[in-house]
Amino acid sequence: MKKLMQAVGGALVALVALAVQAQGYPSHPVTLIVPFAAGGPTDVVARTLAQAMSKSLGQTVIVENKVGAGGTIAANYVAKAQPDGYTIFIHHNGMATATALYRKLPYNPLTDFDYIGQVADVPMTMLARKDFPPEKLQDFVAYIKANREKINLANAGLGAVSQLCGMLFMQAIGTEITTIPFSGTGPAMTALLGGQVDVLCDQTTQTIPQIKAQKVKFYGVTTKQRIQALPDAPTLDEQGLKDFEVVVWHGVYAPKGTPREALEKLNTALRAALKDPPVATKLAELGAQIVSESKQTPAGLQEWLKSEIDKWGPIIRKAGVYAD
Ligand code: MLT
């Protein structure tokens, strides 16, 4: 009993200390954890956001890449970090899909985090190395079916959207190919440009410059409608992969128990960043669509995450893909 009282007392003291600290928040730089490699699509969104959020917070937002296990190493790190408002986290659909891919996930996305808000939705693009023979999606599918033992698909590990897109693509064409995991699609893209891997499904926030410079073969976008940033590019759906759709959404989180004042300031900074004209222009050029104001809220992110866990769980379990 005495030990329990001491533990409760200790926890209360820690909470009061956090609340007191939060009053002058932020008094030093905030670290934004990115779960994939530097230079990749999540990193691009994170750095754009960090720069703009720094302006309204009056403190630098430092980006730190903590890679591995499809984003789950970073998520676990943040779930267990000090909830003082100085560690925040950006992640995408992987926050939801990991709950089905990992049967022994060491954190719970619904109970171990506080929510700050959603950021932007990003289409994906189906690519191959520049000298890959097929020119159009139908030939690409036929070529993969005929050469499946020789072809590989790069991704950023189980929990990455590149893995999700690749998995859905293989299901859609009824053919499995070897997958090669990287610490992010930044390094996967380097390998594709160097011809070391064959195929990659990746976000427009990284791929548009490579597509425009014709450094890769490009077979279409993964949205149901064509996108403004690549208006001539056909969708996979319109080319015969009926109902193929993967859209990448991004959310910003903090460890559970972060003081309310810090969460409110972080949300205000996030919303201000998304209204910042250079941010809006840069994201639009890269095919990213800033989410509605109602989604830029803690409740908007929390509801969306729940719905995404419900959506992807059955799809992943049906595919029988597990990391552990
Ligand atoms: C990245 O930033 O490297 C990608 O978002 C990884 C992924 O495919 O999910």
Side-chain angles (χ1 to χ4, degrees), residues 36-37 40-43 92 124 156 159-163 183-186 201-203:
F36 297 104
T42 314
D43 189 70
H92 56 36
M124 299 191 82
V161 283
S162 44
Q163 179 267 329
S183 60
T185 52
C201 181
D202 195 16
Q203 297 163 68

Side-chain angles (χ1 to χ4, degrees), residues 202-258:
D202 195 16
Q203 297 163 68
T204 55
T205 32
Q206 160 155 273
T207 63
I208 282 185
Q210 312 297 353
I211 291 169
K212 288 194 169 159
Q214 299 187 348
K215 290 191 178 158
V216 288
K217 279 270 163 73
F218 170 42
Y219 300 106
V221 292
T222 65
T223 41
K224 278 287 186 69
Q225 309 293 331
R226 292 189 178 203
I227 61 169
Q228 243 173 27
L230 290 170
D232 299 330
T235 66
L236 299 186
D237 174 87
E238 77 182 64
Q239 295 178 89
L241 287 189
K242 277 285 151 241
D243 296 326
F244 193 97
E245 186 180 27
V246 190
V247 178
V248 184
W249 56 272
H250 299 76
V252 181
Y253 306 82
K256 186 80 187 170
T258 298

Side-chain angles (χ1 to χ4, degrees), residues 5 28 58 64 71 73 84 98 103 118 123 136-137 142 151 157 173 194 210 225 243 248 274 284-285 295:
M5 295 294 282
H28 58 86
E64 189 180 318
I73 288 181
D84 56 6
R103 283 169 288 193
Q118 279 191 64
K136 295 258 181 298
L137 183 73
I151 296 169
I173 67 168
Q210 312 297 353
Q225 309 293 331
D243 296 326
V248 184
L274 296 177
E285 278 170 8
K295 285 188 169 181

Side-chain angles (χ1 to χ4, degrees), residues 11 17 91 98 102 105 107 116 123 128 136 149-150 177-179 187 190 199 203 208 224 262 270 291 296 305 311 313:
H91 200 359
Y102 291 77
L105 203 61
Y107 60 89
I116 296 168
K136 295 258 181 298
E149 266 132 40
K150 290 187 238 148
I177 53 176
T178 306
T179 54
T190 306
V199 177
Q203 297 163 68
I208 282 185
K224 278 287 186 69
L270 171 68
V291 295
Q296 297 168 21
L305 176 64
K311 171 180 167 180

